């Protein structure tokens, strides 16, 4: 075999090895690309699932927040309605005609006398005329009485404001049921 034949054999082997290496590199590159594409799909699917979960969680949170705000607004509206009802009741008591007002004042003084030895009564100017024979003092109240004993150590408060607050405090649940079912 001559030098030329050896050279040709080396070039031929080198080209075959080059072709084999290139084919192997192409196979490897193709496998890497397929793996990368599979990873990308897997990440995209995972991200999509996480995004759906996040969206659902945000929806639930927003819905719960909206429901809570709605209940808060409803509660505030009910509270305002009850306050308005008590304001109307107070106005009604304040505008009661004179004969009914006299009757209420006398009933309140009798109730106070059952609790303490009444020596002085604080009341509005309009109600003082109904309390003959009892020491009265003017008080800045809409109606009703505040009775006090001789020693000024005990007072019973039957003013309209206090009576309405007492009714509100002890009957709030019943009032709420009556107004809102």
């Amino acid at each position: 075999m001559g030098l030329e034949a050896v050279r040709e054999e080396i070039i031929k082997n080198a080209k075959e090895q080059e072709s084999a290496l290139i084919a192997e590199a192409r196979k490897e590159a193709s496998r890497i690309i397929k793996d990368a594409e599979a990873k990308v799909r897997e990440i995209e699917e995972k991200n999509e699932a996480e995004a759906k979960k996040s969206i659902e969680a945000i929806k639930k949170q927003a819905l719960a927040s909206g429901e809570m705000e709605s209940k808060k607004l409803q509660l505030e509206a009910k509270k305002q309605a009850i306050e308005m009802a008590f304001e109307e009741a107070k106005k009604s008591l304040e505008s009661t005609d004179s004969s009914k007002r006299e009757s209420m004042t006398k009933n309140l003084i009798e109730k106070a006398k059952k609790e303490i030895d009444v020596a002085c009564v604080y009341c509005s100017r309009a109600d003082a005329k109904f309390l003959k024979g009892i020491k009265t003092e003017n008080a800045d109240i809409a109606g009703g009485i505040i009775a006090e004993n001789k020693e000024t150590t005990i007072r019973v408060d039957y003013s309209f404001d206090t009576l309405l607050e007492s009714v509100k405090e002890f009957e709030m649940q019943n009032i709420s049921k009556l107004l809102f079912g």
Side-chain angles (χ1 to χ4, degrees):
M1 204 190 242
L3 197 53
E4 189 59 36
V6 172
R7 184 172 137 343
E8 296 259 342
E9 187 66 27
I10 292 173
I11 291 174
K12 180 181 159 198
N13 285 341
K15 284 186 179 183
E16 285 174 5
Q17 284 180 348
E18 175 189 16
S19 293
L21 287 173
I22 289 173
E24 188 64 32
R26 284 188 179 143
K27 274 187 193 176
E28 184 65 18
S30 178
R31 187 190 58 76
I32 290 171
I33 290 170
K34 284 180 185 176
D35 287 350
E37 287 172 347
K39 279 269 193 218
V40 167
R41 278 192 302 277
E42 183 181 316
I43 290 170
E44 285 174 344
E45 289 170 3
K46 184 178 176 185
N47 286 343
E48 189 175 320
E50 287 176 6
K52 284 181 181 178
K53 284 181 185 177
S54 293
I55 290 169
E56 284 303 312
I58 291 169
K59 281 181 185 178
K60 285 179 182 179
Q61 184 179 8
L63 184 61
S65 178
E67 286 174 0
M68 190 163 63
E69 186 64 25
S70 173
K71 286 179 182 180
K72 182 179 169 186
L73 291 172
Q74 287 175 355
L75 189 62
E76 186 61 33
K78 287 178 180 181
K79 183 179 173 186
Q80 286 178 354
I82 289 171
E83 288 299 322
M84 287 173 56
F86 274 95
E87 283 299 316
E88 288 299 316
K90 182 179 176 183
K91 286 177 186 175
S92 177
L93 284 171
E94 289 172 352
S95 64
T96 301
D97 67 56
S98 185
S99 65
K100 283 184 182 178
R101 197 163 174 118
E102 179 179 9
S103 174
M104 285 190 298
T105 304
K106 286 181 178 179
N107 286 338
L108 291 173
I109 195 69
E110 290 304 314
K111 185 174 180 175
K113 284 180 178 179
K114 290 178 184 176
E115 293 185 40
I116 65 170
D117 185 24
V118 176
C120 181
V121 174
Y122 298 90
C123 61
S124 68
R125 288 185 197 271
D127 292 341
K129 64 185 174 194
F130 306 131
L131 301 171
K132 306 276 191 254
I134 298 174
K135 179 184 171 192
T136 61
E137 296 276 336
N138 285 330
D140 188 22
I141 58 176
I145 64 163
I146 300 171
E148 188 174 64
N149 68 353
K150 188 167 93 174
E151 295 80 22
T152 67
T153 56
I154 302 173
R155 278 188 173 182
V156 288
D157 187 346
Y158 292 130
S159 64
F160 290 168
D161 288 335
T162 301
L163 293 171
L164 284 172
E165 281 302 314
S166 179
V167 168
K168 188 189 303 184
E169 183 178 328
F170 293 108
E171 296 296 326
M172 183 59 79
Q173 203 169 34
N174 292 333
I175 292 166
S176 186
K177 282 181 185 175
L178 281 172
L179 291 175
F180 309 113

